[in-house]
Amino acid sequence: LLLPHKKIGKYATSTTNATLAYLISKNYPFEVKSYKIENETQEEFAKTLAKIQSDKFYYVIAPVTQNGEKEIAKINTDIVIYFPTINKKDASSNEDNFYYGGIDYKAQSEKLLAHAQNKLYIFNDSSLVGEQISSYQERYFKNINPNASVTKYAIPEKTTNLQHQLKDNLRMNASS
């Protein structure tokens, strides 16, 4: 596991848990080692991938950002790398040893927005992915509904309760 804790935060823990659960369920012998990196620079990745290879690991799970994937793509490596956070359509590389498992947010958004009302409220966090998704949704929705109303709410990262935005908010009636 190649884990940029500062960039992906809690997702590092959930990736570790999901990986272990999957491997245990397969009932095969396995060995997992975590390699924590401080930042997503080409130099940091090259150093860590060299260490991984010297430790005799040939498969890496790398839950990195799109920028991290771009930096890894600049490194010539034969290690098989799986990017659970990146969709193939968003990849910067087509290396044979790179695999992608991220959500296709555009396809998902298009399916959902096809059923949306004429008023759309978009809630997003301030992450790069959150901003990209909300911008795409706004553009796409206005393209298929030129007279539609779109309102966006940026939600602070630590917020988990949206009651104050939703409860008794009459402006959201008959909206999606």
Side-chain angles (χ1 to χ4, degrees):
L1 293 166
L2 179 59
L3 302 170
H5 281 273
K6 286 182 182 176
K7 281 287 184 187
I8 64 169
K10 290 184 269 183
Y11 195 72
T13 302
S14 63
T15 300
T16 303
N17 291 343
T19 299
L20 292 174
Y22 174 79
L23 292 170
I24 289 167
S25 75
K26 290 298 177 187
N27 224 9
Y28 298 129
F30 65 88
E31 183 178 348
V32 175
K33 185 171 180 181
S34 292
Y35 295 83
K36 183 178 176 184
I37 59 171
E38 292 301 314
N39 55 59
E40 292 186 329
T41 63
Q42 183 181 354
E43 180 183 346
E44 184 86 10
F45 284 127
K47 180 179 74 173
T48 306
L49 288 172
K51 173 70 175 140
I52 289 169
Q53 206 160 17
S54 75
D55 288 348
K56 305 283 190 242
F57 288 101
Y58 304 101
Y59 303 97
V60 172
I61 298 171
V64 298
T65 66
Q66 286 180 328
N67 289 334
E69 185 264 348
K70 286 177 188 172
E71 293 302 314
I72 291 173
K74 296 175 186 175
I75 301 165
N76 187 14
T77 182
D78 292 333
I79 296 174
V80 173
I81 303 174
Y82 172 64
F83 299 97
T85 48
I86 314 258
N87 183 270
K88 178 70 174 165
K89 292 178 183 174
D90 298 321
S92 65
S93 174
N94 60 356
E95 298 288 327
D96 290 338
N97 57 318
F98 288 6
Y99 295 88
Y100 301 88
I103 296 167
D104 184 344
Y105 292 113
K106 288 181 180 178
Q108 185 181 57
S109 294
E110 289 171 11
K111 294 274 189 204
L112 292 169
L113 292 173
H115 303 283
Q117 304 293 323
N118 249 2
K119 272 182 7 184
L120 179 67
Y121 284 82
I122 300 172
F123 292 84
N124 66 285
D125 63 18
S126 59
S127 70
L128 177 63
V129 172
E131 293 290 338
Q132 287 174 336
I133 294 169
S134 72
S135 293
Y136 177 76
Q137 289 173 338
E138 180 178 24
R139 284 192 315 275
Y140 182 81
F141 189 68
K142 284 186 173 181
N143 188 43
I144 61 173
N145 298 297
N147 298 323
S149 162
V150 176
T151 305
K152 291 170 41 171
Y153 283 101
I155 304 298
E157 205 173 300
K158 304 278 186 215
T159 300
T160 57
N161 185 340
L162 301 178
Q163 184 174 356
H164 70 278
Q165 280 96 348
L166 300 173
K167 187 175 182 197
D168 300 325
N169 189 338
L170 299 178
R171 291 176 298 164
M172 289 186 165
N173 283 352
S175 66
S176 297

